[in-house]
Structures are given as structure tokens and as C-alpha cells.
Amino acid sequence: FNMPSSLRLLAAGSVGGCVWYLERRTIQELPHRVTRLFRNVNNQWVMVQHLSFLKRMYVTQLHRGLSQRVKPKPEPATSPFLEHMSSGQARAEVDELPSLSASSLPLSQKPNEELMELKAASIVEHAVDTAKETKEERQWKEMKLHADDLPGILARLSKIKLTALVVSTTSAGFALAPGPFDWSCFLLTSLGTGLASCAANSINQFFEVPFDSNMNRTKNRPLVRGQISPLLAVSFATCCAVPGVALLTWGVNPLTGALGVFNIFLYTCCYTPLKRISIANTWVGAVVGAIPPVMGWTAATGSLDAGALLLGGILYSWQFPHFNALSWGLREDYSRGGYCMMSVTHPALCRHVALRHCLALIALSTAAPILNVTTWAFPIISLPINLYISYLGFRFYVDADRRSSRKLFFCSLWHLPLLLLLMLTCKQRPGREGDKGEAPS
Amino acid sequence: MAALRRGSEAIRLHLCRSFSGGVGRLARERGTERRDAASSRVSRFCPPRQSCHDWIGPPDKHSNLRPVHFHIPENESPLEQRLRELRQETQEWNQQFWANQNLTFNKEKEEFIYSRLQAKGSGLRTKSGQRTALDAEEMADFYKEFLSKNFQKHMRYNRDWYKRNFAITFFMGKVALEKMWNKLRQKPKKMST
């Protein structure tokens, strides 16, 4: 009974379970993103309800005030309003009310019912207006950073869930690499990659504030909401990048460190600006996604073998059905925000590329045993899921509608962790090269 | 046709509003003096006197950007003043660009939908009275055309935005260093007294 291989299986199992859990949580969150239209409508409905409640509240106050004004007593109408408002807003109300009370004086002397009703209507309208403004003013927040908010803010700034997925692909790369499994190296690699990913994501958000504000998917990010200053975001990114890369370079090996720096550069300085210049950004982004598992492999072996490139290739190909399907539903936001995406500028190419890369996944899975990364069991047992995603890719290519794009996107979310898990279970054991169809021990 | 005219009129009103500063739509329609009295939404908001921080508001209706009310400290240094003015100017520049962008997008989208529906021969409203909408595939032509039409505009905006963002962050860094330096200088003085 081989100790290292059981440890490897344990790591594989825990990695797979972790990835599966995270993917499930992402899936649970995705309906929010994909059905954002429904949520917007819902939010508007809630606001209408709130406004009508406020309107009712002010109308009852007004009726009290109006009944007081019918008697010929020059009473200022400020008191019913001030009772229900904070001092900050009262000032705004007092500015507007004198004009009302001045014009209402002649009315109180000549009670004309029709005029009163019209005035009441305009007062109510004004009250609703005021209510809206009051509500808006309450939405102003002080830009003061509280220490207990900071962890949550930094987690959102660094896109912690995406970082976790990136670290899990790196772990998969590490676990798939040949050689004895070194726990300390594994932990250092995961930590270093995680820090590098946090840094890259923070810089990405730093660059994209006005664009993120205009897209529903991204409008609640910390910099958009002003919860953190740009200076702090950049400082945080530096404080993650420097230790992260140092950890990878000196704690693991220089090759992994170099790949980490290169990936940060590629993501922040190439992919992010390129999103607004050319559709080539999708291909650059796919490389960014492919590098972490390569880093995991180089961390374990210290060299860039064919196996590392194969793993990178699988992640590279996976990005296309994943992203192209996602971008299909965001075409309006991309067009308005000025993002150059295939789904907007070259829709046919978008679907064609997605299908092409689904088929490439089958080819790459077949190449795995040839390069001694896995046994021949792998292309066989991964065939069903690869064929399924290719089928969905084909449907997306032919139908070109929102339904098929959503199906393909959701499939890609479970397809990748499952594929990596299968790879890990079919990993080629040392000294058994050439064995075909061997069941994992 | 009438609906479109009403729509474009509303959009013109909105454009006026976005350039002159936000005013309540009801107030404008009623045509009261409040229209002149009311200034932009940012200056309408007054933070509590004891606050010494900036305040950030809800997203603007047209630009989706959140306005910031900048706090002016009593002993503001020239560097801090420069930073504040740069941020204020950038905010206004951003507001103008995005409000214009979003309004233009919505206007052109309406025109596109209208022209397509005319070409198809169907009316502006369905039997149930709701507005007829084109599906995503029909809108795709419009999205592509809009993006390519505004490409140069976005290139210029991107370049300027990156410059401003870097400048603001750089000045923020300088201000932070200046504050730290002042604090360090004050401490030995306190210790010596």
C-alpha cells in the first residue's frame, strides 16, 4: 500500500470536494446574475411599495395640516413634516415650505374647495418628491473605513471566490504532476498563487471603476461603492503581490515565481485594457486561466514538461465555452459599456470558437495518456461529459439563443471540476507506464 | 409616432437635467421656481457638520456613477486642495460622459426598435397594451453597430480615464505621505515641550 499515492488521493479528494463545493455555491449565486432583469424589476416594485407607503404617511400628515389650515389661522405647516424627519433633511424642507405657507394664506382666508384640492394635489406631489429626495439623502454614506468591514471589503476586492477556484486549479496541477507529494511545497504554492491572484483581481477592479458601475453584474464592487479608496486598493494589491511572488520564487522555485509575475502582468496590463480595444482579449484571458495549473505542475516538478502544457491546454480550451456562453447574455451591457467582445462584434465566431474548443477538450483528454499524465481509463470515462459539453456547444452554435448559452455556461461550471477530478483518479502511477485500462488502486 | 415624440422629449429633458445638474422631474414638469433654486444633486446633500469625511451617494439615474461630496478640512494644504479639485473635476467629467453615453444608447435603441417594428409591420404595442420588444437576436445588430460607432469615443475616454485614475491615486499617495510626515514632525515637538 503506497503511502504517497494514498496521500495524493486524499489531496485529490479534498481538492475535488472543495472545488465541487465552491462550484455549487457559485451556481447558487449565478441565478442572481443571469436573472438580474427579474431582480431589477423586483427592486423597482419594492421601491414603489416603499414610496407609496411614504406617500400615504405624508398624505395623512397633510390632511391633518390641511384641516388646520381651513380655519383662518396663519399656522406654518412645518411642524407635521419635521416630526418625521431627521434634522439633516429638515433644513431642506424648511427652505421649500415658506413658499407653500405664504401661498396658502390667501386660501385660508377664502376657503375655495376646488383650489384646496388642487393645492392638496400639488402638496402631495411635492411630498412624494420630498419623500424621494429624503430617501435618496438617506442613501448617502460616509466614506469612513471601519476596521470590522475591512476583511469583507478586501475579500470582495480580491474576488475571493474566483481566487479560490484559481488556487484549486493550481492544486490540481500540483497533484497531477509526477513525483512524491510534498505537503509544504503544496501549501506554499497554493498560498503564493492565492496572493498573486488577489493582487491581480484588485488591480483589475482599480482600473475598471466607471465600467463596473454601469454593468449590473459588477456594480456592487467595493471601489464602485466607495467603501475603499483607490490608494488603499493599490496598496493592498502590492501587499499581496510582493509576498505572493516572493513566496513562489524563493519558497517554491524561480520558474513558478516567474510564471506568477507573468500572469499578474498578463491579466492587469494586457487583458484588462484589451477588453476595450479588441476581441483578442478573450484569447489572452484564456491564457491567464491556463497558467495557474501550469504553475502547480512546475512547483511540483520544477520544469515545464509536456504534461504541464497539456493541463494548461485543457484549461485554455475550457475558457471558451465558459466565457463565450456567459457573454452571450451580456451583449447589451457590453455594447453600452464599450467592451469589445466576440458575442457583440462577431457573434458567429463566438459560437464557432466555443464549439471548436469543446471538441478540443476531447482531443486533449485523449492526449493525456499519450503524454503519461493519466492512464487510458481517463479518455474513456471522461468521454461522456466531454461529449455532453460538445453537444451543448453544438446546440449553442446552431440555436444561438439565450437558452442554449445558459445551458452551456452552467454545464461548464460542473464540467471542469469533474474533469479534473477524473484526471486525478486516473493519474499515471510511477513505474507502471504502458499499462492500459488499469483501474486506480 | 406620438409615443416616440414623447419619449424623445423626455430624453431631451433628461439631457438638459444631466448637463445642468439633477433636478426633480416632477418639479420641472410643474415648472415651479424650484427648478432654478435646485442645483445639482451633489450640492443638495449636506453632510452633518461634525463629519470630517467625504460622503458618497446613490448611483446617478443616468450615469450610474455614485457622486461624492468632498469634505474640505479647515487646514487644507495646497496638495490636498489640488487632489480634491482633480477628483471633483474627474467626477464631473465622468458624469457627463456616462450620462451622455447611456442616454444616447437608450435613444438610439428606441429608434432602432421603432424602425425594425415599422419594417416588420407590427405596431408599437401588443394586444395586451404592453410595449412590443425585439428579442436579443434582433437587437444584436444594433449592439454591434452601436459598439463600432462609439469605438473611437471609447478609445479617447479610456486613455483619459487611465491617466486621471493614475494621477488621482498618485496624489492620494503624496497626500498620505505628507500627512504622515507632518505627524512625525509634530511628535518630536510635543516631546520637547
Side-chain angles (χ1 to χ4, degrees):
Chain A
F1 191 69
N2 208 350
M3 271 301 280
S5 75
S6 73
L7 269 173
R8 223 178 264 130
L9 271 174
L10 193 68
S14 62
V15 161
C18 186
V19 167
W20 185 255
Y21 168 70
L22 283 166
E23 290 288 14
R24 276 189 66 82
R25 280 191 60 192
T26 320
I27 290 166
Q28 276 157 22
E29 274 195 1
L30 272 162
H32 288 281
R33 284 192 223 152
V34 180
T35 57
R36 69 185 189 283
L37 275 173
F38 175 73
R39 190 152 55 110
N40 274 346
V41 168
N42 219 12
N43 279 345
Q44 282 170 23
W45 184 79
V46 167
M47 211 175 78
V48 162
Q49 289 288 300
H50 185 54
L51 274 174
S52 56
F53 164 71
L54 279 171
K55 184 174 164 180
R56 264 180 269 137
M57 196 171 86
Y58 281 109
V59 165
T60 51
Q61 291 298 316
L62 277 164
H63 279 149
R64 242 185 276 155
L66 273 176
S67 60
Q68 286 172 356
R69 249 183 269 137
V70 165
K71 297 176 196 160
K73 274 186 194 170
E75 190 183 314
T78 54
S79 42
F81 286 96
L82 279 174
E83 276 169 16
H84 289 266
M85 270 185 267
S86 62
S87 54
Q89 290 134 17
R91 212 182 320 148
E93 298 316 312
V94 167
D95 287 336
E96 292 161 12
L97 282 165
S99 57
L100 265 179
S101 51
S103 54
S104 73
L105 277 171
L107 277 174
S108 62
Q109 283 158 18
K110 280 187 192 171
N112 188 334
E113 284 229 1
E114 274 185 19
L115 268 173
M116 285 292 276
E117 273 180 23
L118 276 171
K119 201 71 198 172
S122 69
I123 290 169
V124 165
E125 259 189 57
H126 166 73
V128 170
D129 213 2
T130 316
K132 269 193 203 160
E133 284 164 11
T134 312
K135 186 175 185 288
E136 258 182 48
E137 285 177 6
R138 256 185 246 132
Q139 289 176 333
W140 281 76
K141 298 251 159 39
E142 195 177 11
M143 287 173 85
K144 187 178 172 184
L145 189 61
H146 296 109
D148 24 337
D149 292 334
L150 197 60
I153 291 170
L154 291 179
R156 278 196 299 276
L157 183 70
S158 58
K159 297 189 210 173
I160 199 80
K161 289 176 192 148
L162 179 64
T163 299
L165 290 172
V166 165
V167 169
S168 61
T169 58
T170 308
S171 314
F174 191 93
L176 273 167
F181 189 91
D182 184 358
W183 269 103
S184 61
C185 188
F186 174 73
L187 289 168
L188 287 172
T189 312
S190 303
L191 188 60
T193 311
L195 287 170
S197 172
C198 285
N201 288 330
S202 304
I203 297 287
N204 169 266
Q205 289 198 21
F206 165 72
F207 282 154
E208 305 249 283
V209 178
F211 314 118
D212 284 344
S213 313
N214 274 283
M215 289 183 61
N216 280 310
R217 193 172 66 93
T218 53
K219 64 186 179 186
N220 287 316
R221 288 185 171 171
L223 281 169
V224 172
R225 289 168 74 178
Q227 292 172 319
I228 196 175
S229 75
L231 179 69
L232 205 54
V234 172
S235 312
F236 173 71
T238 318
C239 291
C240 284
V242 170
V245 171
L247 210 58
L248 290 172
T249 313
W250 286 290
V252 182
N253 59 52
L255 177 61
T256 314
L259 283 170
V261 173
F262 177 65
N263 212 20
I264 295 176
F265 168 75
L266 204 60
Y267 184 61
T268 58
C269 302
C270 298
Y271 171 69
T272 303
L274 212 53
K275 270 169 38 172
R276 309 184 58 77
I277 300 174
S278 143
I279 57 170
N281 70 76
T282 312
W283 281 268
V284 173
V287 173
V288 171
I291 288 179
V294 175
M295 282 169 67
W297 185 288
T298 59
T301 62
S303 63
L304 212 58
D305 321 315
L309 295 175
L310 173 80
L311 208 50
I314 288 177
L315 261 292
Y316 176 81
S317 283
W318 176 83
Q319 305 287 337
F320 291 99
H322 174 77
F323 181 72
N324 286 2
L326 173 68
S327 69
W328 199 255
L330 299 172
R331 282 180 288 179
E332 176 164 355
D333 279 352
Y334 285 147
S335 169
R336 190 167 47 88
Y339 282 109
C340 295
M341 299 295 174
M342 268 194 280
S343 57
V344 180
T345 58
H346 299 81
L349 178 70
C350 177
R351 302 186 322 269
H352 176 81
V353 164
L355 177 61
R356 204 165 66 193
H357 283 274
C358 287
L359 298 170
L361 283 170
I362 301 177
L364 287 166
S365 301
T366 318
I370 299 171
L371 295 170
N372 282 319
V373 180
T374 64
T375 59
W376 276 102
F378 174 64
I380 298 164
I381 58 175
S382 66
L383 199 60
I385 57 171
N386 284 339
L387 280 176
Y388 183 62
I389 198 174
S390 303
Y391 167 69
L392 288 179
F394 177 71
R395 279 256 70 87
F396 177 50
Y397 180 69
V398 165
D399 297 339
D401 61 0
R402 200 175 159 83
R403 193 165 168 271
S404 53
S405 72
R406 280 180 61 178
K407 283 187 91 167
L408 179 60
F409 175 71
F410 284 120
C411 174
S412 74
L413 291 177
W414 58 255
H415 174 269
L416 180 68
L418 195 53
L419 192 72
L420 290 174
L421 196 61
L422 291 173
M423 272 189 100
L424 285 164
T425 54
C426 296
K427 182 178 168 173
Q428 186 71 276
R429 303 283 173 257
R432 290 185 203 166
E433 294 169 15
D435 268 343
K436 293 189 201 260
E438 170 150 352
S441 57
Chain B
M1 197 66 204
L4 189 69
R5 213 177 281 140
R6 255 182 277 128
S8 57
E9 207 173 290
I11 287 163
R12 261 201 295 276
L13 275 172
H14 287 152
L15 269 168
C16 292
R17 183 184 4 172
S18 68
F19 285 119
S20 66
V23 177
R25 198 194 329 163
L26 285 169
R28 183 173 284 278
E29 283 173 2
R30 277 183 291 138
T32 60
E33 306 88 32
R34 219 152 279 113
R35 194 197 306 164
D36 308 301
S39 46
S40 74
R41 204 172 288 151
V42 174
S43 56
R44 271 193 81 83
F45 170 77
C46 290
R49 259 182 223 111
Q50 68 273 19
S51 164
C52 56
H53 292 97
D54 300 333
W55 283 69
I56 191 163
D60 179 73
K61 223 188 262 188
H62 302 295
S63 68
N64 296 314
L65 301 174
R66 289 173 182 258
V68 175
H69 187 279
F70 296 102
H71 168 73
I72 306 170
E74 289 141 7
N75 48 351
E76 191 184 43
S77 71
L79 194 63
E80 284 177 329
Q81 185 187 7
R82 200 166 152 205
L83 172 67
R84 180 176 53 83
E85 283 166 359
L86 179 63
R87 288 176 76 190
Q88 180 74 42
E89 205 244 312
T90 302
Q91 182 172 281
E92 282 157 12
W93 170 78
N94 255 332
Q95 165 72 20
Q96 213 177 46
F97 177 84
W98 284 105
N100 184 33
Q101 176 76 2
N102 292 336
L103 287 167
T104 312
F105 180 81
N106 288 327
K107 174 166 157 259
E108 292 189 11
K109 187 176 161 189
E110 291 287 328
E111 285 170 5
F112 176 83
I113 291 173
Y114 179 73
S115 65
R116 273 294 163 97
L117 285 172
Q118 270 227 311
K120 269 173 40 173
S122 42
L124 274 176
R125 290 192 182 271
T126 61
K127 285 182 192 146
S128 58
Q130 288 184 332
R131 292 189 51 188
T132 321
L134 295 175
D135 66 21
E137 303 322 311
E138 289 167 313
M139 293 303 301
D141 294 331
F142 166 69
Y143 296 144
K144 180 173 175 180
E145 195 199 316
F146 187 82
L147 187 64
S148 52
K149 235 183 10 177
N150 287 278
F151 185 72
Q152 287 304 325
K153 195 170 152 193
H154 279 295
M155 286 300 107
R156 279 195 300 269
Y157 173 78
N158 294 340
R159 204 183 45 229
D160 290 341
W161 161 248
Y162 270 72
K163 271 195 227 165
R164 283 171 187 267
N165 200 20
F166 277 127
I168 288 172
T169 313
F170 176 70
F171 277 118
M172 275 181 170
K174 276 181 92 171
V175 164
L177 284 172
E178 189 190 61
K179 278 192 188 153
M180 223 175 1
W181 177 246
N182 289 336
K183 264 197 194 144
L184 286 170
R185 271 200 310 180
Q186 274 176 16
K187 266 190 187 156
K189 276 189 188 162
K190 273 187 187 165
M191 288 211 274
S192 62
T193 48

